[in-house]
Amino acid sequence: MTAMSLALTPASHAAPAASWSSTSLTLPPLGNLDAYISAVNRIPLLSADEERDCAQRWRQHQDLEAAGKLVMSHLRLVVAISRQYLGYGLPQADLIQEGNIGLMKAVKRFDPAQGVRLVSYAVHWIKAEIHEFILRNWRMVKVATTKAQRKLFFNLRSLKRGFKADALDEDAARERLSEAEIDVVARELNVRREDVIEMETRLGGADVVLDPLPNEDGEEAYGPIAYLADHRHEPTAVLEARERERLGSEGIEHALAQLDERSRRIVTARWLQVNDDGTGGATLQELADEYGVSAERIRQIEAAAMKKMRQALRAYA
């Protein structure tokens, strides 16, 4: 089905119609879920012969009117199925909307020659769309990706309530399974014990805002981002560290090469050499004795050399 356009007009409060021939297909205005449910429950069902005729017209001639009848007559089925998933905390209107998409997919693929009614065929497609919607929206982080995880997600809570029939639904959903109950769940759903334990942990958790918004006083709230961030591997810090390392090796060699022999000797002796006892390099007086000048003169030569090296490093960087 490539497209389907259904006119929506305010619902009539008249008595339910007995058949499609005497029915004016109407739906309530958007935003009123109770009125929508009431309206779709008044839409008449198709008999087996009417359903087969509509399905054949759609498959053979792409008759949108026939497809529309198939969809509209099963909207109540979507409403009924959507009620089974209200415990996940998502709006029923959204569940119905996704289920309607599944219903239209079922109508598109329905083959009356298979000998089954559309209601039996459509259940799978409706539930599949609702399941996918719940998995996408139940949590910010998707909790089930594999087939085993999906099976556990939609069955674990109901099984836990079955183990604890005397507890309230929410209390049962929160209470941890015992080792024996984990074995029962794994056996009934044909999954591993590890999968049951992992899914129970996921369902018991909650989304956490890593970087919370400021509180009411305007102060920054403390969140996990403060202690989860590893600044050592932050891209800017990594690039800066690499640049410092490059300047500390290649850059220093380049800057020293710009000095005359005496200046290079003084800078190397003062800052780049370590004595045998682990202390710093030569003192000004030691170098002054070596070159036969005053310590002040050595300091002046050192200052001029350092200035020249800084300029060389800036140009190298």
Side-chain angles (χ1 to χ4, degrees):
M1 190 183 308
T2 57
M4 181 182 297
S5 177
L6 301 174
L8 303 181
T9 58
S12 170
H13 295 286
S19 66
W20 280 91
S21 58
S22 60
T23 299
S24 175
L25 198 55
T26 58
L27 286 176
L30 296 178
N32 193 333
L33 180 60
D34 292 336
Y36 171 85
I37 295 175
S38 176
V40 299
N41 285 332
R42 292 199 299 269
I43 297 175
L45 300 174
L46 293 173
S47 66
D49 292 337
E50 290 173 330
E51 181 178 289
R52 189 181 309 107
D53 176 66
C54 288
Q56 290 173 346
R57 284 162 51 198
W58 162 245
R59 288 183 64 85
Q60 297 172 7
H61 308 291
Q62 297 295 291
D63 188 335
L64 287 178
E65 182 181 355
K69 285 186 177 182
L70 290 172
V71 171
M72 301 297 284
S73 63
H74 289 81
L75 289 178
R76 67 177 67 191
L77 173 64
V78 177
V79 172
I81 294 176
S82 71
R83 291 195 182 100
Q84 302 172 18
Y85 299 93
L86 294 180
Y88 292 96
L90 297 173
Q92 186 179 9
D94 291 344
L95 297 174
I96 292 173
Q97 177 174 278
E98 296 298 320
N100 286 343
I101 295 174
L103 173 60
M104 288 187 284
K105 289 182 178 180
V107 168
K108 178 181 179 180
R109 295 165 174 80
F110 179 58
D111 182 4
Q114 297 297 322
V116 297
R117 295 293 300 270
L118 177 58
V119 64
S120 301
Y121 182 75
V123 167
H124 164 76
W125 289 93
I126 295 170
K127 287 187 174 181
E129 288 296 319
I130 293 178
H131 285 184
E132 189 62 32
F133 173 75
I134 293 173
L135 290 174
R136 287 197 314 267
N137 295 275
W138 188 66
R139 289 276 173 81
M140 186 179 298
V141 179
K142 198 169 185 178
V143 296
T145 53
T146 66
K147 183 178 180 181
Q149 289 174 346
R150 294 168 70 97
K151 183 188 296 185
L152 278 167
F153 179 83
F154 289 105
N155 290 280
L156 188 57
R157 293 203 307 177
S158 60
L159 287 173
K160 289 174 70 173
R161 285 194 291 267
F163 292 137
K164 303 168 177 61
D166 57 338
L168 296 176
D169 286 354
E170 290 305 316
D171 292 338
R174 285 193 297 265
E175 191 171 341
R176 303 286 293 184
L177 290 172
S178 66
E179 292 297 320
E181 290 169 344
I182 291 175
D183 291 332
V184 172
V185 172
R187 185 169 57 253
E188 288 191 8
L189 298 181
N190 193 27
V191 297
R192 301 180 307 165
R193 292 184 80 260
E194 294 79 4
D195 293 331
V196 177
I197 296 171
E198 180 180 0
M199 181 54 63
E200 186 178 25
T201 302
R202 292 187 181 189
L203 292 176
D207 291 333
V208 177
V209 179
L210 293 180
D211 193 5
L213 296 174
N215 55 33
E216 296 179 356
D217 298 329
E219 298 179 356
E220 292 188 3
Y222 184 79
I225 195 66
Y227 55 84
L228 289 178
D230 187 353
H231 300 290
R232 296 173 301 170
H233 301 289
E234 196 272 327
T236 303
V238 171
L239 292 176
E240 290 177 351
R242 289 178 181 174
E243 183 64 12
R244 285 194 301 269
E245 184 179 350
R246 186 176 71 89
L247 290 176
S249 55
E250 300 174 7
I252 293 297
E253 291 181 5
H254 171 77
L256 285 172
Q258 311 305 311
L259 304 177
D260 59 76
E261 184 178 350
R262 185 176 63 171
S263 298
R264 184 163 54 252
R265 161 68 181 145
I266 291 173
V267 171
T268 302
R270 288 276 292 154
W271 300 103
L272 301 179
Q273 289 182 353
V274 180
N275 296 328
D276 293 338
D277 59 0
T279 60
T283 64
L284 292 174
Q285 189 59 51
E286 290 172 343
L287 291 170
D289 294 341
E290 179 180 337
Y291 285 102
V293 297
S294 66
E296 175 60 21
R297 180 55 184 154
I298 295 296
R299 189 194 65 75
Q300 293 172 355
I301 295 173
E302 179 188 14
M306 298 294 273
K307 181 178 179 181
K308 191 172 184 179
M309 287 183 66
R310 281 194 292 268
Q311 292 173 347
L313 283 173
R314 280 196 293 268
Y316 184 80

